[in-house]
Amino acid sequence: MRPAQSQHARPLKSRDWQVVEFIARYRLATVDALRHCVLANLSQNAVTKLTNRLCALDLLRKYTLFHPVRYFVLGESGAKAAGLRLDRTWALGPQSLPIEYAVLLYCLHGHPQRRRMTTREILSGWSWLPGTLATAPHAFDESSQVLELLRIDLGGPADHLARKCAHDINVRRHIPEFTTLVTGGRFRLVFMTATAEKATAVKRSLDRHGWPSGLRIHASVLPQLLPFTARVSHA
């Protein structure tokens, strides 16, 4: 992960690489997220200076999350160091930004914390899952050894999100290994939305669908998503 540095380059510290590795896994980060998980002993000002330095080295790039908050993705040097495609350096689009931000918040602030799984980790640990399904956002609850499939509300009607959740399960339920995972209590479907009222409406819509026996479904309310869902609702 850590490439050879130019003889003229300023030496990089271990925590610099921790930041790059964190963003390689979670696809984006904010100053608050880095302070929460990677740089807990640093002030907000110190983290801002560190990320600015990494941006100057093109290990990171920053874009606007919502004014005045910025988010960071990998820069070209960071993507090459992580062995990732250069499209990981681009600003996230209007759908991918709230999805990746929601996954970050859920994993870092859940109790207990979750670990976002990479596509490579999913294909390694659950090799029976088709590659097209392995790219969906997944998290792992280490404390209960439960794999979680994450579905994020992008601001549409409650029944639309419920149909998306049903589709997620229906394309998997014919796989024998998936059924074993569900009946063994080691799989959870998690949907995320911005308000408790929307979560309740989604649950009512979910009740109209048929689910495999033993399937766990969890709602996560993330108020930080409100700027994104409100933007869609008033479009």
Side-chain angles (χ1 to χ4, degrees), residues 2 14 30 45 50 56 103-104 109 115 117 134 141 145 166 177 179 199 203 226:
R2 304 184 182 187
S14 175
T30 62
N45 186 55
L50 185 151
V103 172
L104 175 73
H109 298 290
R115 176 182 177 89
M117 305 300 287
D141 182 348
Q145 295 292 293
E177 293 88 347
T179 300
K203 288 177 181 177
L226 200 54

Side-chain angles (χ1 to χ4, degrees), residues 153-169:
D153 176 23
L154 296 178
D159 61 345
H160 176 74
L161 182 59
R163 288 195 301 271
K164 290 285 189 180
C165 290
H167 175 76
D168 288 336
I169 299 304

Side-chain angles (χ1 to χ4, degrees), residues 97-211:
L97 180 56
I99 289 173
E100 307 300 357
Y101 185 47
V103 172
L104 175 73
L105 293 171
Y106 175 74
C107 289
L108 268 58
H109 298 290
H111 300 286
Q113 281 190 357
R114 270 68 164 174
R115 176 182 177 89
R116 179 171 186 161
M117 305 300 287
T118 67
T119 300
R120 182 177 300 176
E121 288 170 341
I122 292 294
L123 291 174
S124 174
W126 297 267
S127 57
W128 43 264
L129 195 65
T132 53
L133 301 181
T135 59
H138 288 83
F140 191 68
D141 182 348
E142 189 74 36
S143 64
S144 59
Q145 295 292 293
V146 170
L147 178 68
E148 297 179 324
L149 175 64
L150 311 179
R151 170 60 69 175
I152 293 84
D153 176 23
L154 296 178
D159 61 345
H160 176 74
L161 182 59
R163 288 195 301 271
K164 290 285 189 180
C165 290
H167 175 76
D168 288 336
I169 299 304
N170 288 336
V171 296
R172 292 166 171 80
R173 66 190 305 170
H174 69 282
I175 305 173
E177 293 88 347
F178 176 73
T179 300
T180 301
L181 203 66
V182 170
T183 56
R186 291 180 289 114
F187 178 86
R188 185 183 296 121
L189 174 65
V190 179
F191 71 87
M192 306 173 201
T193 190
T195 67
E197 292 78 12
K198 182 69 173 286
T200 299
V202 174
K203 288 177 181 177
R204 285 198 295 264
S205 294
L206 290 173
D207 288 341
R208 303 187 189 110
H209 294 268
W211 304 100

Side-chain angles (χ1 to χ4, degrees), residues 41-59:
N41 60 331
L42 297 185
S43 67
Q44 182 167 343
N45 186 55
V47 175
T48 298
K49 288 181 178 179
L50 185 151
T51 52
N52 285 341
R53 177 168 55 81
L54 296 184
C55 286
L57 296 170
D58 204 26
L59 286 163

Side-chain angles (χ1 to χ4, degrees), residues 26-71:
Y26 288 93
R27 297 176 178 256
L28 83 165
T30 62
V31 167
D32 285 346
L34 292 173
R35 288 190 67 206
H36 182 80
C37 197
V38 184
L39 305 169
N41 60 331
L42 297 185
S43 67
Q44 182 167 343
N45 186 55
V47 175
T48 298
K49 288 181 178 179
L50 185 151
T51 52
N52 285 341
R53 177 168 55 81
L54 296 184
C55 286
L57 296 170
D58 204 26
L59 286 163
L60 303 183
R61 291 182 183 173
K62 62 181 174 180
Y63 301 98
T64 299
L65 182 63
F66 42 78
H67 186 75
V69 179
R70 299 296 190 96
Y71 70 93

